[in-house]
mmCIF file of all heavy atoms in Angstrom:
data_model
loop_
_atom_site.group_PDB
_atom_site.id
_atom_site.type_symbol
_atom_site.label_atom_id
_atom_site.label_comp_id
_atom_site.label_asym_id
_atom_site.label_seq_id
_atom_site.Cartn_x
_atom_site.Cartn_y
_atom_site.Cartn_z
ATOM 1 N N GLU A 1 129.310 -219.795 -167.482
ATOM 2 C CA GLU A 1 130.635 -219.791 -166.854
ATOM 3 C C GLU A 1 131.610 -220.425 -167.836
ATOM 4 O O GLU A 1 131.383 -221.524 -168.330
ATOM 5 C CB GLU A 1 130.621 -220.584 -165.545
ATOM 6 C CG GLU A 1 131.989 -220.683 -164.879
ATOM 7 C CD GLU A 1 131.993 -221.629 -163.694
ATOM 8 O OE1 GLU A 1 130.903 -221.959 -163.182
ATOM 9 O OE2 GLU A 1 133.094 -222.053 -163.279
ATOM 10 N N ILE A 2 132.681 -219.727 -168.148
ATOM 11 C CA ILE A 2 133.680 -220.278 -169.071
ATOM 12 C C ILE A 2 135.034 -219.635 -168.764
ATOM 13 O O ILE A 2 135.124 -218.426 -168.525
ATOM 14 C CB ILE A 2 133.278 -220.049 -170.548
ATOM 15 C CG1 ILE A 2 134.276 -220.741 -171.490
ATOM 16 C CG2 ILE A 2 133.108 -218.584 -170.874
ATOM 17 C CD1 ILE A 2 133.825 -220.768 -172.947
ATOM 18 N N GLY A 3 136.075 -220.439 -168.745
ATOM 19 C CA GLY A 3 137.417 -219.938 -168.462
ATOM 20 C C GLY A 3 138.303 -219.969 -169.696
ATOM 21 O O GLY A 3 138.005 -220.652 -170.686
ATOM 22 N N ASN A 4 139.387 -219.250 -169.632
ATOM 23 C CA ASN A 4 140.353 -219.165 -170.715
ATOM 24 C C ASN A 4 141.709 -219.575 -170.168
ATOM 25 O O ASN A 4 142.203 -218.972 -169.219
ATOM 26 C CB ASN A 4 140.402 -217.738 -171.264
ATOM 27 C CG ASN A 4 141.349 -217.610 -172.453
ATOM 28 O OD1 ASN A 4 141.689 -218.595 -173.088
ATOM 29 N ND2 ASN A 4 141.778 -216.392 -172.737
ATOM 30 N N TRP A 5 142.301 -220.613 -170.729
ATOM 31 C CA TRP A 5 143.625 -221.033 -170.278
ATOM 32 C C TRP A 5 144.652 -220.789 -171.381
ATOM 33 O O TRP A 5 144.317 -220.695 -172.556
ATOM 34 C CB TRP A 5 143.616 -222.520 -169.877
ATOM 35 C CG TRP A 5 143.185 -223.453 -170.969
ATOM 36 C CD1 TRP A 5 141.915 -223.878 -171.241
ATOM 37 C CD2 TRP A 5 144.017 -224.057 -171.971
ATOM 38 N NE1 TRP A 5 141.911 -224.705 -172.333
ATOM 39 C CE2 TRP A 5 143.185 -224.846 -172.800
ATOM 40 C CE3 TRP A 5 145.396 -224.018 -172.234
ATOM 41 C CZ2 TRP A 5 143.683 -225.577 -173.878
ATOM 42 C CZ3 TRP A 5 145.889 -224.746 -173.315
ATOM 43 C CH2 TRP A 5 145.040 -225.513 -174.119
ATOM 44 N N ARG A 6 145.909 -220.698 -170.968
ATOM 45 C CA ARG A 6 146.996 -220.494 -171.929
ATOM 46 C C ARG A 6 148.110 -221.483 -171.647
ATOM 47 O O ARG A 6 148.360 -221.852 -170.502
ATOM 48 C CB ARG A 6 147.522 -219.055 -171.865
ATOM 49 C CG ARG A 6 146.453 -218.031 -172.239
ATOM 50 C CD ARG A 6 147.009 -216.632 -172.405
ATOM 51 N NE ARG A 6 145.919 -215.714 -172.757
ATOM 52 C CZ ARG A 6 145.427 -214.804 -171.944
ATOM 53 N NH1 ARG A 6 145.932 -214.661 -170.723
ATOM 54 N NH2 ARG A 6 144.451 -214.022 -172.321
ATOM 55 N N GLY A 7 148.771 -221.894 -172.717
ATOM 56 C CA GLY A 7 149.840 -222.866 -172.573
ATOM 57 C C GLY A 7 150.954 -222.610 -173.567
ATOM 58 O O GLY A 7 150.992 -221.582 -174.239
ATOM 59 N N VAL A 8 151.866 -223.576 -173.648
ATOM 60 C CA VAL A 8 153.013 -223.436 -174.540
ATOM 61 C C VAL A 8 153.302 -224.788 -175.190
ATOM 62 O O VAL A 8 153.201 -225.840 -174.554
ATOM 63 C CB VAL A 8 154.246 -222.889 -173.780
ATOM 64 C CG1 VAL A 8 154.650 -223.808 -172.647
ATOM 65 C CG2 VAL A 8 155.421 -222.649 -174.710
ATOM 66 N N TYR A 9 153.592 -224.738 -176.488
ATOM 67 C CA TYR A 9 153.955 -225.926 -177.274
ATOM 68 C C TYR A 9 155.365 -225.739 -177.831
ATOM 69 O O TYR A 9 155.862 -224.607 -177.947
ATOM 70 C CB TYR A 9 152.988 -226.121 -178.431
ATOM 71 C CG TYR A 9 151.816 -227.034 -178.144
ATOM 72 C CD1 TYR A 9 151.000 -226.846 -177.043
ATOM 73 C CD2 TYR A 9 151.504 -228.094 -178.995
ATOM 74 C CE1 TYR A 9 149.914 -227.680 -176.792
ATOM 75 C CE2 TYR A 9 150.423 -228.941 -178.757
ATOM 76 C CZ TYR A 9 149.636 -228.731 -177.657
ATOM 77 O OH TYR A 9 148.565 -229.560 -177.402
ATOM 78 N N ALA A 10 155.996 -226.855 -178.184
ATOM 79 C CA ALA A 10 157.298 -226.830 -178.836
ATOM 80 C C ALA A 10 157.142 -227.286 -180.278
ATOM 81 O O ALA A 10 156.051 -227.634 -180.738
ATOM 82 C CB ALA A 10 158.278 -227.723 -178.077
ATOM 83 N N ALA A 11 158.244 -227.281 -180.989
ATOM 84 C CA ALA A 11 158.227 -227.583 -182.418
ATOM 85 C C ALA A 11 157.904 -229.050 -182.700
ATOM 86 O O ALA A 11 158.084 -229.914 -181.841
ATOM 87 C CB ALA A 11 159.585 -227.227 -183.019
ATOM 88 N N PRO A 12 157.446 -229.329 -183.919
ATOM 89 C CA PRO A 12 157.261 -230.733 -184.323
ATOM 90 C C PRO A 12 158.610 -231.440 -184.416
ATOM 91 O O PRO A 12 159.642 -230.808 -184.670
ATOM 92 C CB PRO A 12 156.638 -230.619 -185.725
ATOM 93 C CG PRO A 12 156.201 -229.197 -185.870
ATOM 94 C CD PRO A 12 157.091 -228.392 -184.988
ATOM 95 N N GLY A 13 158.595 -232.738 -184.193
ATOM 96 C CA GLY A 13 159.777 -233.538 -184.493
ATOM 97 C C GLY A 13 160.924 -233.470 -183.521
ATOM 98 O O GLY A 13 162.022 -233.947 -183.837
ATOM 99 N N ILE A 14 160.726 -232.877 -182.334
ATOM 100 C CA ILE A 14 161.812 -232.897 -181.363
ATOM 101 C C ILE A 14 161.797 -234.243 -180.628
ATOM 102 O O ILE A 14 160.797 -234.955 -180.625
ATOM 103 C CB ILE A 14 161.732 -231.722 -180.360
ATOM 104 C CG1 ILE A 14 160.445 -231.796 -179.519
ATOM 105 C CG2 ILE A 14 161.825 -230.393 -181.102
ATOM 106 C CD1 ILE A 14 160.395 -230.769 -178.398
ATOM 107 N N THR A 15 162.905 -234.583 -180.005
ATOM 108 C CA THR A 15 163.014 -235.872 -179.322
ATOM 109 C C THR A 15 162.321 -235.813 -177.958
ATOM 110 O O THR A 15 162.114 -234.728 -177.407
ATOM 111 C CB THR A 15 164.481 -236.242 -179.099
ATOM 112 O OG1 THR A 15 165.057 -235.306 -178.165
ATOM 113 C CG2 THR A 15 165.273 -236.207 -180.406
ATOM 114 N N PRO A 16 161.976 -236.967 -177.391
ATOM 115 C CA PRO A 16 161.411 -236.984 -176.038
ATOM 116 C C PRO A 16 162.327 -236.317 -175.020
ATOM 117 O O PRO A 16 161.843 -235.657 -174.092
ATOM 118 C CB PRO A 16 161.243 -238.483 -175.747
ATOM 119 C CG PRO A 16 161.071 -239.116 -177.093
ATOM 120 C CD PRO A 16 161.964 -238.321 -178.002
ATOM 121 N N GLU A 17 163.629 -236.474 -175.190
ATOM 122 C CA GLU A 17 164.580 -235.847 -174.262
ATOM 123 C C GLU A 17 164.544 -234.331 -174.381
ATOM 124 O O GLU A 17 164.617 -233.612 -173.379
ATOM 125 C CB GLU A 17 166.001 -236.372 -174.538
ATOM 126 C CG GLU A 17 166.217 -237.840 -174.224
ATOM 127 C CD GLU A 17 165.651 -238.767 -175.292
ATOM 128 O OE1 GLU A 17 165.374 -238.289 -176.424
ATOM 129 O OE2 GLU A 17 165.461 -239.968 -174.983
ATOM 130 N N GLN A 18 164.433 -233.839 -175.613
ATOM 131 C CA GLN A 18 164.350 -232.391 -175.814
ATOM 132 C C GLN A 18 163.031 -231.845 -175.278
ATOM 133 O O GLN A 18 162.991 -230.753 -174.704
ATOM 134 C CB GLN A 18 164.516 -232.066 -177.305
ATOM 135 C CG GLN A 18 165.934 -232.295 -177.806
ATOM 136 C CD GLN A 18 166.022 -232.293 -179.318
ATOM 137 O OE1 GLN A 18 165.030 -232.522 -180.020
ATOM 138 N NE2 GLN A 18 167.211 -232.045 -179.846
ATOM 139 N N ARG A 19 161.956 -232.613 -175.431
ATOM 140 C CA ARG A 19 160.676 -232.195 -174.863
ATOM 141 C C ARG A 19 160.775 -232.078 -173.344
ATOM 142 O O ARG A 19 160.303 -231.101 -172.765
ATOM 143 C CB ARG A 19 159.571 -233.181 -175.247
ATOM 144 C CG ARG A 19 158.224 -232.841 -174.625
ATOM 145 C CD ARG A 19 157.141 -233.872 -174.937
ATOM 146 N NE ARG A 19 155.898 -233.519 -174.252
ATOM 147 C CZ ARG A 19 154.776 -234.225 -174.333
ATOM 148 N NH1 ARG A 19 154.722 -235.329 -175.070
ATOM 149 N NH2 ARG A 19 153.692 -233.834 -173.678
ATOM 150 N N LYS A 20 161.384 -233.072 -172.721
ATOM 151 C CA LYS A 20 161.536 -233.047 -171.261
ATOM 152 C C LYS A 20 162.381 -231.857 -170.822
ATOM 153 O O LYS A 20 162.083 -231.186 -169.828
ATOM 154 C CB LYS A 20 162.150 -234.340 -170.745
ATOM 155 C CG LYS A 20 162.240 -234.398 -169.213
ATOM 156 C CD LYS A 20 162.851 -235.673 -168.725
ATOM 157 C CE LYS A 20 162.788 -235.735 -167.180
ATOM 158 N NZ LYS A 20 163.393 -234.562 -166.523
ATOM 159 N N ALA A 21 163.457 -231.587 -171.572
ATOM 160 C CA ALA A 21 164.323 -230.467 -171.221
ATOM 161 C C ALA A 21 163.573 -229.139 -171.289
ATOM 162 O O ALA A 21 163.686 -228.300 -170.389
ATOM 163 C CB ALA A 21 165.537 -230.450 -172.152
ATOM 164 N N LEU A 22 162.779 -228.948 -172.355
ATOM 165 C CA LEU A 22 162.003 -227.718 -172.479
ATOM 166 C C LEU A 22 160.943 -227.621 -171.383
ATOM 167 O O LEU A 22 160.693 -226.540 -170.840
ATOM 168 C CB LEU A 22 161.341 -227.653 -173.861
ATOM 169 C CG LEU A 22 162.270 -227.306 -175.025
ATOM 170 C CD1 LEU A 22 161.579 -227.561 -176.360
ATOM 171 C CD2 LEU A 22 162.742 -225.862 -174.943
ATOM 172 N N THR A 23 160.328 -228.759 -171.054
ATOM 173 C CA THR A 23 159.348 -228.773 -169.966
ATOM 174 C C THR A 23 159.991 -228.354 -168.659
ATOM 175 O O THR A 23 159.442 -227.536 -167.908
ATOM 176 C CB THR A 23 158.730 -230.177 -169.816
ATOM 177 O OG1 THR A 23 158.112 -230.556 -171.052
ATOM 178 C CG2 THR A 23 157.681 -230.197 -168.714
ATOM 179 N N ASP A 24 161.185 -228.898 -168.372
ATOM 180 C CA ASP A 24 161.902 -228.532 -167.139
ATOM 181 C C ASP A 24 162.251 -227.047 -167.119
ATOM 182 O O ASP A 24 162.203 -226.392 -166.070
ATOM 183 C CB ASP A 24 163.177 -229.370 -166.999
ATOM 184 C CG ASP A 24 162.883 -230.829 -166.663
ATOM 185 O OD1 ASP A 24 161.750 -231.118 -166.228
ATOM 186 O OD2 ASP A 24 163.783 -231.671 -166.837
ATOM 187 N N MET A 25 162.583 -226.497 -168.283
ATOM 188 C CA MET A 25 162.908 -225.070 -168.362
ATOM 189 C C MET A 25 161.676 -224.213 -168.066
ATOM 190 O O MET A 25 161.752 -223.222 -167.331
ATOM 191 C CB MET A 25 163.485 -224.748 -169.744
ATOM 192 C CG MET A 25 164.858 -225.366 -169.976
ATOM 193 S SD MET A 25 165.357 -225.339 -171.714
ATOM 194 C CE MET A 25 165.569 -223.584 -171.982
ATOM 195 N N VAL A 26 160.530 -224.610 -168.644
ATOM 196 C CA VAL A 26 159.299 -223.858 -168.385
ATOM 197 C C VAL A 26 158.916 -223.958 -166.908
ATOM 198 O O VAL A 26 158.513 -222.967 -166.286
ATOM 199 C CB VAL A 26 158.155 -224.366 -169.291
ATOM 200 C CG1 VAL A 26 156.812 -223.790 -168.857
ATOM 201 C CG2 VAL A 26 158.437 -224.006 -170.746
ATOM 202 N N LEU A 27 159.061 -225.135 -166.316
ATOM 203 C CA LEU A 27 158.752 -225.309 -164.888
ATOM 204 C C LEU A 27 159.674 -224.449 -164.032
ATOM 205 O O LEU A 27 159.242 -223.886 -163.015
ATOM 206 C CB LEU A 27 158.876 -226.781 -164.489
ATOM 207 C CG LEU A 27 157.787 -227.706 -165.050
ATOM 208 C CD1 LEU A 27 158.080 -229.155 -164.685
ATOM 209 C CD2 LEU A 27 156.407 -227.298 -164.544
ATOM 210 N N ALA A 28 160.934 -224.329 -164.429
ATOM 211 C CA ALA A 28 161.850 -223.456 -163.699
ATOM 212 C C ALA A 28 161.405 -221.998 -163.794
ATOM 213 O O ALA A 28 161.452 -221.247 -162.808
ATOM 214 C CB ALA A 28 163.273 -223.611 -164.247
ATOM 215 N N ALA A 29 160.939 -221.606 -164.981
ATOM 216 C CA ALA A 29 160.459 -220.231 -165.175
ATOM 217 C C ALA A 29 159.252 -219.950 -164.290
ATOM 218 O O ALA A 29 159.099 -218.833 -163.762
ATOM 219 C CB ALA A 29 160.104 -220.006 -166.641
ATOM 220 N N MET A 30 158.384 -220.958 -164.105
ATOM 221 C CA MET A 30 157.192 -220.779 -163.278
ATOM 222 C C MET A 30 157.539 -220.478 -161.810
ATOM 223 O O MET A 30 156.713 -219.942 -161.075
ATOM 224 C CB MET A 30 156.320 -222.037 -163.310
ATOM 225 C CG MET A 30 155.789 -222.458 -164.672
ATOM 226 S SD MET A 30 154.601 -221.324 -165.438
ATOM 227 C CE MET A 30 155.676 -220.364 -166.525
ATOM 228 N N LYS A 31 158.761 -220.825 -161.398
ATOM 229 C CA LYS A 31 159.175 -220.609 -160.014
ATOM 230 C C LYS A 31 159.944 -219.304 -159.822
ATOM 231 O O LYS A 31 160.368 -218.986 -158.714
ATOM 232 C CB LYS A 31 160.048 -221.783 -159.541
ATOM 233 C CG LYS A 31 159.309 -223.111 -159.536
ATOM 234 C CD LYS A 31 160.239 -224.261 -159.179
ATOM 235 C CE LYS A 31 159.518 -225.598 -159.240
ATOM 236 N NZ LYS A 31 160.440 -226.732 -158.963
ATOM 237 N N SER A 32 160.111 -218.543 -160.903
ATOM 238 C CA SER A 32 160.911 -217.320 -160.836
ATOM 239 C C SER A 32 160.129 -216.150 -160.233
ATOM 240 O O SER A 32 158.890 -216.124 -160.266
ATOM 241 C CB SER A 32 161.406 -216.933 -162.236
ATOM 242 O OG SER A 32 160.317 -216.488 -163.031
ATOM 243 N N LYS A 33 160.857 -215.196 -159.712
ATOM 244 C CA LYS A 33 160.250 -213.984 -159.162
ATOM 245 C C LYS A 33 159.524 -213.206 -160.256
ATOM 246 O O LYS A 33 158.433 -212.658 -160.044
ATOM 247 C CB LYS A 33 161.322 -213.106 -158.526
ATOM 248 C CG LYS A 33 160.795 -211.810 -157.942
ATOM 249 C CD LYS A 33 161.911 -210.964 -157.359
ATOM 250 C CE LYS A 33 161.372 -209.633 -156.822
ATOM 251 N NZ LYS A 33 162.470 -208.772 -156.292
ATOM 252 N N SER A 34 160.120 -213.183 -161.438
ATOM 253 C CA SER A 34 159.531 -212.474 -162.567
ATOM 254 C C SER A 34 158.148 -213.020 -162.897
ATOM 255 O O SER A 34 157.202 -212.265 -163.143
ATOM 256 C CB SER A 34 160.450 -212.611 -163.792
ATOM 257 O OG SER A 34 159.818 -212.163 -164.961
ATOM 258 N N TRP A 35 158.004 -214.355 -162.888
ATOM 259 C CA TRP A 35 156.708 -214.956 -163.214
ATOM 260 C C TRP A 35 155.679 -214.652 -162.131
ATOM 261 O O TRP A 35 154.514 -214.371 -162.431
ATOM 262 C CB TRP A 35 156.859 -216.455 -163.417
ATOM 263 C CG TRP A 35 155.603 -217.107 -163.911
ATOM 264 C CD1 TRP A 35 154.792 -217.962 -163.232
ATOM 265 C CD2 TRP A 35 154.992 -216.934 -165.196
ATOM 266 N NE1 TRP A 35 153.723 -218.340 -164.000
ATOM 267 C CE2 TRP A 35 153.812 -217.722 -165.216
ATOM 268 C CE3 TRP A 35 155.326 -216.192 -166.333
ATOM 269 C CZ2 TRP A 35 152.972 -217.789 -166.324
ATOM 270 C CZ3 TRP A 35 154.485 -216.256 -167.438
ATOM 271 C CH2 TRP A 35 153.325 -217.040 -167.436
ATOM 272 N N ALA A 36 156.096 -214.718 -160.866
ATOM 273 C CA ALA A 36 155.182 -214.402 -159.763
ATOM 274 C C ALA A 36 154.649 -212.980 -159.902
ATOM 275 O O ALA A 36 153.462 -212.720 -159.663
ATOM 276 C CB ALA A 36 155.898 -214.581 -158.427
ATOM 277 N N GLU A 37 155.513 -212.069 -160.313
ATOM 278 C CA GLU A 37 155.100 -210.675 -160.500
ATOM 279 C C GLU A 37 154.106 -210.563 -161.660
ATOM 280 O O GLU A 37 153.137 -209.796 -161.585
ATOM 281 C CB GLU A 37 156.329 -209.800 -160.755
ATOM 282 C CG GLU A 37 157.223 -209.639 -159.528
ATOM 283 C CD GLU A 37 158.538 -208.950 -159.853
ATOM 284 O OE1 GLU A 37 158.862 -208.815 -161.068
ATOM 285 O OE2 GLU A 37 159.253 -208.561 -158.903
ATOM 286 N N SER A 38 154.329 -211.325 -162.726
ATOM 287 C CA SER A 38 153.416 -211.294 -163.876
ATOM 288 C C SER A 38 152.043 -211.837 -163.503
ATOM 289 O O SER A 38 151.010 -211.309 -163.938
ATOM 290 C CB SER A 38 153.997 -212.102 -165.041
ATOM 291 O OG SER A 38 155.163 -211.485 -165.550
ATOM 292 N N LEU A 39 152.011 -212.904 -162.704
ATOM 293 C CA LEU A 39 150.736 -213.466 -162.263
ATOM 294 C C LEU A 39 149.930 -212.431 -161.487
ATOM 295 O O LEU A 39 148.729 -212.246 -161.726
ATOM 296 C CB LEU A 39 150.977 -214.699 -161.381
ATOM 297 C CG LEU A 39 151.535 -215.952 -162.061
ATOM 298 C CD1 LEU A 39 151.815 -217.026 -161.010
ATOM 299 C CD2 LEU A 39 150.585 -216.492 -163.112
ATOM 300 N N GLU A 40 150.592 -211.744 -160.580
ATOM 301 C CA GLU A 40 149.900 -210.755 -159.749
ATOM 302 C C GLU A 40 149.458 -209.551 -160.574
ATOM 303 O O GLU A 40 148.319 -209.091 -160.466
ATOM 304 C CB GLU A 40 150.811 -210.300 -158.608
ATOM 305 C CG GLU A 40 150.142 -209.316 -157.671
ATOM 306 C CD GLU A 40 151.015 -208.948 -156.482
ATOM 307 O OE1 GLU A 40 152.140 -209.478 -156.371
ATOM 308 O OE2 GLU A 40 150.575 -208.132 -155.662
ATOM 309 N N LYS A 41 150.339 -209.067 -161.417
ATOM 310 C CA LYS A 41 150.044 -207.881 -162.222
ATOM 311 C C LYS A 41 148.851 -208.107 -163.159
ATOM 312 O O LYS A 41 148.017 -207.216 -163.344
ATOM 313 C CB LYS A 41 151.284 -207.508 -163.051
ATOM 314 C CG LYS A 41 151.055 -206.371 -164.039
ATOM 315 C CD LYS A 41 152.282 -206.159 -164.898
ATOM 316 C CE LYS A 41 152.038 -205.110 -165.986
ATOM 317 N NZ LYS A 41 153.213 -204.958 -166.884
ATOM 318 N N ASN A 42 148.773 -209.302 -163.747
ATOM 319 C CA ASN A 42 147.760 -209.570 -164.768
ATOM 320 C C ASN A 42 146.533 -210.311 -164.258
ATOM 321 O O ASN A 42 145.631 -210.612 -165.037
ATOM 322 C CB ASN A 42 148.388 -210.371 -165.910
ATOM 323 C CG ASN A 42 149.457 -209.599 -166.653
ATOM 324 O OD1 ASN A 42 149.149 -208.615 -167.320
ATOM 325 N ND2 ASN A 42 150.704 -210.025 -166.540
#
């Protein structure tokens, strides 16, 4: 039994504030209708 996960990284050297902002953006994307459709389709 083995699973495959996928994630997202940002560039080296960004500030903690920029990291948080990008994280918030990705979390917002996870709540979108488009993402829900991708989860179901794939």
Side-chain angles (χ1 to χ4, degrees):
E1 177 188 343
I2 185 170
N4 183 19
W5 58 270
R6 298 190 180 108
V8 60
Y9 267 52
I14 63 173
T15 67
E17 293 78 17
Q18 289 166 338
R19 177 184 177 180
K20 184 180 186 306
L22 285 168
T23 302
D24 289 343
M25 292 166 68
V26 169
L27 290 175
M30 299 294 96
K31 297 175 183 177
S32 70
K33 179 182 178 182
S34 169
W35 187 249
E37 290 171 347
S38 293
L39 291 175
E40 182 176 359
K41 174 185 175 183
N42 295 293

